[in-house]
Amino acid sequence: MNTTESQLRAMKEAQRNAVAELLRVSPVADELATRFADAGHRLYLVGGSVRDALLGRLSSDLDFTTDARPEVIQRLVSGWAEAVWDTGIEFGTVGAAKGGVQLEITTFRADVYDRVSRNPEVSFGDTIEGDLVRRDFTANAMAIELSTKTFVDPHGGMAALASEVLDTPATPEESFADDPLRMLRAARFVAQLDVTPADRVVAAMRDMAGELERITAERVQAELSKLLLGKAPRRGLELMVDTGLADVVLPEVPGMRLAMDEHHQHKDVYQHSLTVLEQAIDLETSHEPTSEPDLVLRLAALLHDIGKPDTRKFEPGGGVSFHHHEVVGAKMARKRLRALRYSKEIVQDVSQLVYLHLRFHGYGNGEWTDSAVRRYVNDADHLLTRLHKLVRADCTTRNRRKAAQLQRTYDDLEARIARIAEEEDLKRVRPDLDGNEIIRILGVEPGPIVGKAWKHLKEVRLDRGPLDHDEAVAELRRWAADQGIDPAS
């Protein structure tokens, strides 16, 4: 790779960042390096820790590699570290904690993969060069020898980082055959680091995308989540779609390329959904800020229209409709997220947001009654803030006047929600009578009748707002009479 003057400047700046970051954690790193050197062993900061140091964002979770074998590592950190754990020792890794820093120290590896189960035959190596060549990408195949602060970069990782290029130390075919998950990791790094994959990496991903089927759903889900939480998830997703990885992981996303959105303002629903994702990310901090990226919101933004291909209908006169695509999409989102082994909470929250994302469009110019506003809040429940962001993000029209009108209309809805919430405490909408009062008034035993009565009173509460106690009792008695229940006198 030819290195330009600007890239050389970037590399020098990266080296300064790395030195500054190492100085920040030097008490722990230097003490550890001294212990290993005194015992006749070499210790290197390695992999993602070096990459992050070069980028000026080294965390307190540090990765090291060494020629010392696992039992020697244990002996060297015992009595020095505040805590030591050996859950990864069969793979050559010993964990430790010292001074608020989490350390993972791994013996040089020289693994051989069987390329069927992807399980490695764990083998320890003797050189840093042999260890680095088996790593996933050149940006992660750098090391710093800690006793001298010497960079070890046999595969041009620093130049690749300065050029914002993602490449592999060995050939990408070898790397991806060892672990097909590295293809998805490539898309994740594109999203996290905003780098561009080398042509040979993209070609190998296209040729080998089907190999990803060998990887467990749990590992795939972990990489997908990291991708979505990156600073540029659209780029990572586009790489997945372009290379065929998405056909294995999220086939519904490339499937959206088949459906033209009903406003004809975007090339297809796929591009619209990526735009909604970007706008939802912008709203994470500009509209009721959150402290960190929101996986549930981002998944809902990406998947909110996945029901459109299955509901597309060409109408007389050239129009296109997608009736009930939110219902179909919610079911599809639930099925896909379950297959990816997401938690029950994430599955439920994302599918509910997909289901609700169109509800606002019935609001018109404020024609909803207060009852309809209450139901909107009640159905959204704890997802209301996310629903606000999703609905706002779903406005991708290029017509500025129309976009401004939609935002003003939603401003009006939020203002009404705030007003009614202040008057009626919408976050805790409950019937005006509790279960014990229902039992006493109706003179019944606890059971299904009480549940039905409670549900009816809640519907009345949503429709009419708070009732005083006498009104609530009268309503319960009316309901009981309609059900053929003779209330206690």
Side-chain angles (χ1 to χ4, degrees):
M1 164 187 316
N2 294 326
T3 305
T4 67
E5 186 177 339
S6 63
Q7 289 167 352
L8 284 171
R9 286 197 299 270
M11 289 165 64
K12 290 179 181 179
E13 177 64 24
Q15 287 182 330
R16 287 193 292 270
N17 285 338
V19 170
E21 287 293 280
L22 283 173
L23 287 174
R24 184 170 60 82
V25 298
S26 62
V28 171
D30 288 347
E31 286 177 29
L32 190 60
T34 298
R35 293 180 73 85
F36 275 74
D38 289 347
H41 295 287
R42 289 162 290 162
L43 185 70
Y44 299 81
L45 188 71
V46 73
S49 292
V50 176
R51 180 198 70 223
D52 290 344
L54 290 168
L55 294 173
R57 61 182 199 193
L58 186 63
S59 74
S60 58
D61 294 336
L62 303 180
D63 294 323
F64 301 89
T65 190
T66 178
D67 58 337
R69 293 310 191 244
E71 61 277 7
V72 176
I73 298 173
Q74 275 187 309
R75 187 173 71 247
L76 290 173
V77 298
S78 294
W80 171 80
E82 294 152 3
V84 178
W85 54 93
D86 61 2
T87 50
I89 198 165
E90 63 178 308
F91 299 105
T93 299
V94 175
K98 175 75 171 181
V101 179
Q102 301 292 315
L103 319 168
E104 281 200 351
I105 310 161
T106 304
T107 301
F108 293 155
R109 295 278 289 273
D111 301 340
V112 176
Y113 291 79
D114 63 19
R115 298 190 176 182
V116 176
S117 67
R118 199 218 60 85
N119 295 323
E121 297 175 12
V122 177
S123 174
F124 299 134
D126 297 307
T127 67
I128 184 63
E129 292 78 13
D131 179 271
L132 295 178
V133 75
R134 57 168 288 279
R135 293 180 179 264
D136 52 5
F137 301 104
T138 59
N140 295 329
M142 297 178 283
I144 300 175
E145 203 285 317
L146 288 169
S147 62
T148 61
K149 302 294 190 294
T150 301
F151 280 89
V152 182
D153 185 15
H155 305 288
M158 186 182 295
L161 203 59
S163 304
E164 299 181 336
V165 171
L166 188 71
D167 206 349
T168 53
T171 68
E173 289 79 8
E174 290 178 273
S175 182
F176 298 157
D178 280 347
D179 185 358
L181 188 67
R182 288 174 173 175
M183 293 184 285
L184 188 54
R185 196 172 296 147
R188 188 247 289 185
F189 282 132
V190 166
Q192 284 184 327
L193 304 177
D194 206 12
V195 293
T196 299
D199 290 344
R200 68 173 191 161
V201 169
V202 176
M205 291 170 69
R206 285 199 180 103
D207 291 341
M208 302 176 68
E211 294 295 308
L212 197 57
E213 293 177 352
R214 291 162 39 195
I215 305 302
T216 64
E218 289 81 2
R219 294 184 71 216
V220 168
Q221 180 244 99
E223 286 297 329
L224 178 62
S225 295
K226 290 175 184 177
L227 183 159
L228 287 169
L229 293 172
K231 67 178 183 179
R234 179 173 190 152
R235 290 196 62 207
L237 290 165
E238 287 175 332
L239 180 61
M240 286 179 62
V241 171
D242 291 344
T243 57
L245 292 182
D247 292 326
V248 179
V249 177
L250 276 175
E252 297 82 1
V253 171
M256 287 191 288
R257 290 179 297 181
L258 301 175
M260 180 71 71
D261 101 290
E262 68 267 39
H263 304 298
H264 297 269
Q265 296 297 316
H266 301 273
K267 182 178 179 181
D268 52 30
V269 176
Y270 164 66
Q271 292 293 336
H272 163 75
S273 297
L274 293 179
T275 300
V276 173
L277 171 61
E278 289 183 314
Q279 294 185 167
I281 291 170
D282 290 340
L283 289 171
E284 284 177 346
T285 54
S286 66
H287 190 75
E288 296 190 33
T290 56
S291 59
E292 58 187 18
D294 187 338
L295 180 61
V296 167
L297 177 63
R298 294 184 183 200
L299 280 167
L302 177 64
L303 302 178
H304 76 285
D305 274 349
I306 60 171
K308 280 190 171 180
D310 285 356
T311 58
R312 180 174 57 169
K313 181 180 179 182
F314 295 100
E315 302 290 354
V320 180
S321 66
F322 302 95
H323 295 307
H324 305 302
H325 76 267
E326 75 282 11
V327 178
V328 173
K331 292 178 180 177
M332 292 172 66
R334 188 176 295 111
K335 181 178 180 181
R336 176 55 53 195
L337 296 178
R338 283 175 176 166
L340 287 168
R341 302 291 191 270
Y342 277 100
S343 68
K344 288 182 180 179
E345 293 77 15
I346 289 179
V347 172
Q348 179 57 34
D349 286 352
V350 173
S351 58
Q352 182 69 352
L353 285 169
V354 172
Y355 177 70
L356 292 174
H357 84 274
L358 277 187
R359 181 79 64 86
F360 160 71
H361 293 284
Y363 187 73
N365 292 315
E367 289 90 352
W368 276 5
T369 62
D370 282 357
S371 171
V373 174
R374 291 188 199 99
R375 288 183 181 278
Y376 188 76
V377 173
N378 182 72
D379 290 347
D381 197 27
H382 66 285
L383 297 171
L384 183 62
T385 297
R386 286 176 170 136
L387 183 58
H388 289 333
K389 295 175 184 178
L390 178 59
V391 171
R392 288 181 181 275
D394 195 24
C395 174
T396 60
T397 177
R398 295 175 186 175
N399 184 320
R400 292 185 179 181
R401 181 179 175 184
K402 183 176 181 181
Q405 179 59 43
L406 283 170
Q407 296 301 334
R408 283 195 299 271
T409 303
Y410 206 82
D411 288 342
D412 181 69
L413 174 57
E414 286 200 59
R416 287 185 65 189
I417 289 172
R419 175 182 59 77
I420 297 172
E422 184 177 356
E423 294 171 356
E424 303 178 14
D425 195 8
L426 285 182
K427 289 184 179 179
R428 292 192 302 235
V429 172
R430 295 289 185 273
D432 296 287
L433 302 175
D434 64 21
N436 290 329
E437 289 177 293
I438 291 171
I439 289 171
R440 178 179 57 79
I441 293 166
L442 296 184
V444 297
E445 296 294 326
I449 288 176
V450 178
K452 290 178 181 179
W454 190 95
K455 184 176 181 180
H456 171 74
L457 289 175
K458 181 176 180 179
E459 291 296 315
V460 172
R461 170 74 167 76
L462 288 169
D463 281 338
R464 293 161 51 185
L467 306 179
D468 65 33
H469 187 268
D470 289 344
E471 288 178 318
V473 171
E475 180 58 41
L476 175 62
R477 291 181 179 279
R478 278 193 294 273
W479 175 84
D482 291 341
Q483 301 298 310
I485 300 169
D486 184 17
S489 56

Tab-separated table of all heavy atoms in Angstrom, residues 211-230:
chain	number	residue	atom	x	y	z
A	211	GLU	N	-20.968	-19.614	4.272
A	211	GLU	CA	-20.264	-20.268	5.378
A	211	GLU	C	-20.729	-19.752	6.736
A	211	GLU	O	-20.524	-20.400	7.761
A	211	GLU	CB	-18.753	-20.047	5.239
A	211	GLU	CG	-18.131	-20.711	4.019
A	211	GLU	CD	-18.218	-22.224	4.098
A	211	GLU	OE1	-17.791	-22.783	5.129
A	211	GLU	OE2	-18.735	-22.832	3.150
A	212	LEU	N	-21.359	-18.579	6.731
A	212	LEU	CA	-21.833	-18.007	7.990
A	212	LEU	C	-22.902	-18.881	8.638
A	212	LEU	O	-23.142	-18.796	9.848
A	212	LEU	CB	-22.368	-16.589	7.744
A	212	LEU	CG	-22.540	-15.672	8.953
A	212	LEU	CD1	-21.222	-15.502	9.708
A	212	LEU	CD2	-23.065	-14.313	8.513
A	213	GLU	N	-23.537	-19.732	7.862
A	213	GLU	CA	-24.562	-20.619	8.408
A	213	GLU	C	-23.990	-21.604	9.417
A	213	GLU	O	-24.737	-22.207	10.191
A	213	GLU	CB	-25.261	-21.363	7.277
A	213	GLU	CG	-26.084	-20.435	6.371
A	213	GLU	CD	-26.728	-21.164	5.209
A	213	GLU	OE1	-26.421	-22.371	5.018
A	213	GLU	OE2	-27.534	-20.550	4.493
A	214	ARG	N	-22.680	-21.773	9.412
A	214	ARG	CA	-22.034	-22.685	10.373
A	214	ARG	C	-21.948	-22.093	11.774
A	214	ARG	O	-21.655	-22.804	12.742
A	214	ARG	CB	-20.613	-23.019	9.908
A	214	ARG	CG	-20.537	-23.885	8.676
A	214	ARG	CD	-19.159	-23.824	8.003
A	214	ARG	NE	-18.042	-23.775	8.925
A	214	ARG	CZ	-16.798	-23.433	8.564
A	214	ARG	NH1	-16.558	-23.087	7.312
A	214	ARG	NH2	-15.823	-23.425	9.448
A	215	ILE	N	-22.182	-20.804	11.889
A	215	ILE	CA	-21.974	-20.110	13.159
A	215	ILE	C	-23.267	-20.098	13.979
A	215	ILE	O	-24.360	-19.931	13.447
A	215	ILE	CB	-21.502	-18.667	12.906
A	215	ILE	CG1	-20.257	-18.676	12.014
A	215	ILE	CG2	-21.208	-17.953	14.209
A	215	ILE	CD1	-19.094	-19.461	12.575
A	216	THR	N	-23.143	-20.246	15.287
A	216	THR	CA	-24.318	-20.280	16.158
A	216	THR	C	-25.047	-18.943	16.142
A	216	THR	O	-24.429	-17.885	15.958
A	216	THR	CB	-23.931	-20.611	17.603
A	216	THR	OG1	-23.092	-19.565	18.113
A	216	THR	CG2	-23.191	-21.947	17.673
A	217	ALA	N	-26.344	-19.008	16.354
A	217	ALA	CA	-27.164	-17.794	16.351
A	217	ALA	C	-26.707	-16.810	17.421
A	217	ALA	O	-26.751	-15.593	17.218
A	217	ALA	CB	-28.635	-18.158	16.564
A	218	GLU	N	-26.253	-17.322	18.558
A	218	GLU	CA	-25.836	-16.441	19.647
A	218	GLU	C	-24.628	-15.594	19.249
A	218	GLU	O	-24.566	-14.401	19.549
A	218	GLU	CB	-25.490	-17.268	20.894
A	218	GLU	CG	-26.684	-17.891	21.592
A	218	GLU	CD	-27.170	-19.178	20.939
A	218	GLU	OE1	-26.547	-19.625	19.937
A	218	GLU	OE2	-28.161	-19.751	21.416
A	219	ARG	N	-23.659	-16.196	18.564
A	219	ARG	CA	-22.470	-15.444	18.151
A	219	ARG	C	-22.822	-14.441	17.056
A	219	ARG	O	-22.308	-13.318	17.038
A	219	ARG	CB	-21.377	-16.401	17.657
A	219	ARG	CG	-20.806	-17.311	18.739
A	219	ARG	CD	-19.658	-18.144	18.186
A	219	ARG	NE	-18.483	-17.318	17.926
A	219	ARG	CZ	-17.651	-17.496	16.904
A	219	ARG	NH1	-17.884	-18.453	16.015
A	219	ARG	NH2	-16.598	-16.724	16.747
A	220	VAL	N	-23.702	-14.849	16.139
A	220	VAL	CA	-24.146	-13.943	15.078
A	220	VAL	C	-24.868	-12.745	15.685
A	220	VAL	O	-24.624	-11.591	15.313
A	220	VAL	CB	-25.052	-14.675	14.083
A	220	VAL	CG1	-25.753	-13.700	13.147
A	220	VAL	CG2	-24.240	-15.683	13.266
A	221	GLN	N	-25.750	-13.018	16.637
A	221	GLN	CA	-26.516	-11.935	17.266
A	221	GLN	C	-25.608	-10.943	17.967
A	221	GLN	O	-25.818	-9.721	17.898
A	221	GLN	CB	-27.508	-12.527	18.267
A	221	GLN	CG	-28.364	-11.513	18.986
A	221	GLN	CD	-28.095	-11.507	20.478
A	221	GLN	OE1	-27.362	-10.668	20.993
A	221	GLN	NE2	-28.690	-12.453	21.174
A	222	ALA	N	-24.570	-11.444	18.637
A	222	ALA	CA	-23.663	-10.546	19.349
A	222	ALA	C	-22.965	-9.591	18.375
A	222	ALA	O	-22.843	-8.388	18.644
A	222	ALA	CB	-22.626	-11.355	20.126
A	223	GLU	N	-22.521	-10.108	17.227
A	223	GLU	CA	-21.860	-9.251	16.238
A	223	GLU	C	-22.844	-8.274	15.602
A	223	GLU	O	-22.518	-7.109	15.376
A	223	GLU	CB	-21.203	-10.106	15.147
A	223	GLU	CG	-19.940	-10.812	15.578
A	223	GLU	CD	-18.825	-9.850	15.955
A	223	GLU	OE1	-18.752	-8.745	15.375
A	223	GLU	OE2	-18.014	-10.195	16.832
A	224	LEU	N	-24.052	-8.750	15.300
A	224	LEU	CA	-25.059	-7.878	14.704
A	224	LEU	C	-25.403	-6.724	15.642
A	224	LEU	O	-25.535	-5.565	15.212
A	224	LEU	CB	-26.318	-8.670	14.359
A	224	LEU	CG	-27.480	-7.872	13.769
A	224	LEU	CD1	-27.074	-7.243	12.434
A	224	LEU	CD2	-28.709	-8.757	13.592
A	225	SER	N	-25.535	-7.021	16.918
A	225	SER	CA	-25.853	-5.969	17.888
A	225	SER	C	-24.740	-4.932	17.952
A	225	SER	O	-24.998	-3.721	17.987
A	225	SER	CB	-26.088	-6.580	19.271
A	225	SER	OG	-27.229	-7.413	19.258
A	226	LYS	N	-23.493	-5.386	17.963
A	226	LYS	CA	-22.366	-4.447	17.989
A	226	LYS	C	-22.362	-3.588	16.728
A	226	LYS	O	-22.058	-2.392	16.778
A	226	LYS	CB	-21.052	-5.213	18.116
A	226	LYS	CG	-20.844	-5.870	19.471
A	226	LYS	CD	-19.581	-6.709	19.486
A	226	LYS	CE	-19.412	-7.448	20.814
A	226	LYS	NZ	-18.211	-8.322	20.807
A	227	LEU	N	-22.685	-4.199	15.589
A	227	LEU	CA	-22.763	-3.447	14.337
A	227	LEU	C	-23.822	-2.349	14.441
A	227	LEU	O	-23.568	-1.184	14.115
A	227	LEU	CB	-23.081	-4.401	13.187
A	227	LEU	CG	-23.131	-3.839	11.756
A	227	LEU	CD1	-22.928	-4.983	10.752
A	227	LEU	CD2	-24.437	-3.133	11.432
A	228	LEU	N	-25.005	-2.715	14.906
A	228	LEU	CA	-26.102	-1.755	14.984
A	228	LEU	C	-25.811	-0.632	15.972
A	228	LEU	O	-26.315	0.478	15.827
A	228	LEU	CB	-27.395	-2.470	15.364
A	228	LEU	CG	-28.011	-3.335	14.263
A	228	LEU	CD1	-29.129	-4.190	14.830
A	228	LEU	CD2	-28.530	-2.470	13.119
A	229	LEU	N	-24.994	-0.921	16.967
A	229	LEU	CA	-24.670	0.087	17.971
A	229	LEU	C	-23.457	0.930	17.571
A	229	LEU	O	-23.054	1.821	18.322
A	229	LEU	CB	-24.418	-0.585	19.327
A	229	LEU	CG	-25.661	-1.230	19.954
A	229	LEU	CD1	-25.270	-2.033	21.184
A	229	LEU	CD2	-26.713	-0.199	20.294
A	230	GLY	N	-22.882	0.650	16.407
A	230	GLY	CA	-21.751	1.419	15.919
A	230	GLY	C	-22.154	2.815	15.493
A	230	GLY	O	-23.331	3.161	15.440
